[in-house]
């Protein structure tokens, strides 16, 4: 079984939107975006909106977390994969399921009731913090960076 060529995994509560669809995909050289999200996998309207912002030479797949775990190791070497998730808990589920993620880019985690802001675009609650701590313990670097040319900031430093 070959290791899938995962270029990057991103947490963004908007999943794919203009900035991600174009900027990150181009800078990474990705040709496959896998949206690992249970709701989006069952929402054709959301999928077609997301497909609109991704260039024609990039494929998209909308999988549940479990399906991502089940199929990621079947990926071909030529598939340069960019995984997009909604929450750190979802990333942790993938990692525990055997998806070989080493680095996580944190884009947007919107503020809502019970969350505290740790960065301009990132707000977390205790469940998020626990998930990030667990990812950190597993040796996975989590870094806040909205766009590729911005300097990254370590999540573990911001939540310690």
């Amino acid at each position: 079984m070959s290791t899938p060529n995962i270029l990057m995994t991103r947490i963004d509560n908007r999943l794919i939107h203009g900035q991600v669809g174009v900027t990150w995909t181009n800078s990474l050289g990705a040709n496959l975006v896998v949206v690992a999200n249970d709701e989006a996998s069952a929402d054709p309207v959301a999928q077609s909106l997301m497909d609109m912002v991704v260039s024609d030479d990039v494929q998209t797949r909308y999988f549940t977390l479990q399906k991502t775990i089940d199929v990621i190791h079947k990926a071909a070497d030529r598939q340069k994969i960019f995984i997009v998730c909604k929450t750190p808990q979802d990333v942790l589920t993938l990692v525990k399921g055997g998806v070989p993620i080493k680095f996580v880019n944190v884009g947007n985690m919107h503020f809502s009731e019970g969350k505290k802001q740790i960065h301009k675009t990132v707000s977390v609650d205790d469940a998020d913090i626990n998930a990030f701590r667990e990812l950190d313990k597993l040796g996975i670097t989590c870094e806040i960076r909205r766009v590729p040319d911005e300097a990254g900031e370590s999540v573990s430093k911001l939540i310690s």
Side-chain angles (χ1 to χ4, degrees):
M1 192 137 51
S2 65
T3 303
N5 186 4
I6 298 170
L7 305 175
M8 192 171 87
T9 301
R10 177 175 169 96
I11 295 171
D12 194 317
N13 58 340
R14 295 174 297 178
L15 297 172
I16 305 177
H17 50 92
Q19 178 192 359
V20 176
V22 179
T23 319
W24 278 110
T25 311
N26 289 348
S27 84
L28 290 167
N31 58 19
L32 174 61
V33 180
V34 173
V35 173
N37 180 264
D38 293 354
E39 289 85 38
S41 71
D43 186 344
V45 176
Q47 291 175 22
S48 60
L49 289 171
M50 288 190 253
D51 282 345
M52 280 165 40
V53 298
V54 178
S55 66
D56 293 340
D57 54 348
V58 176
Q59 292 187 308
T60 50
R61 295 284 181 276
Y62 299 92
F63 292 155
T64 62
L65 296 174
Q66 188 56 51
K67 180 157 188 187
T68 306
I69 290 165
D70 294 342
V71 303
I72 198 77
H73 289 282
K74 298 180 180 127
D77 289 341
R78 65 176 183 280
Q79 291 178 304
K80 299 184 177 81
I81 306 168
F82 177 26
I83 297 177
V84 183
C85 291
K86 213 165 226 183
T87 66
Q89 293 85 331
D90 287 356
V91 174
L92 188 58
T93 299
L94 295 179
V95 169
K96 287 182 166 170
V99 179
I101 293 169
K102 299 280 170 266
F103 177 82
V104 178
N105 160 258
V106 183
N108 292 280
M109 291 175 62
H110 287 323
F111 181 80
S112 60
E113 197 65 40
K115 294 199 175 215
K116 65 174 190 210
Q117 193 174 12
I118 58 166
H119 187 272
K120 278 182 295 225
T121 57
V122 178
S123 297
V124 294
D125 59 19
D126 291 344
D128 298 326
I129 290 172
N130 291 337
F132 278 127
R133 288 203 170 124
E134 203 164 338
L135 288 165
D136 193 47
K137 279 196 195 100
L138 293 166
I140 296 155
T141 304
C142 298
E143 180 183 88
I144 298 174
R145 230 169 115 198
R146 287 167 305 169
V147 288
D149 55 12
E150 183 175 80
E153 287 192 64
S154 156
V155 173
S156 57
K157 285 199 182 91
L158 293 170
I159 61 175
S160 59

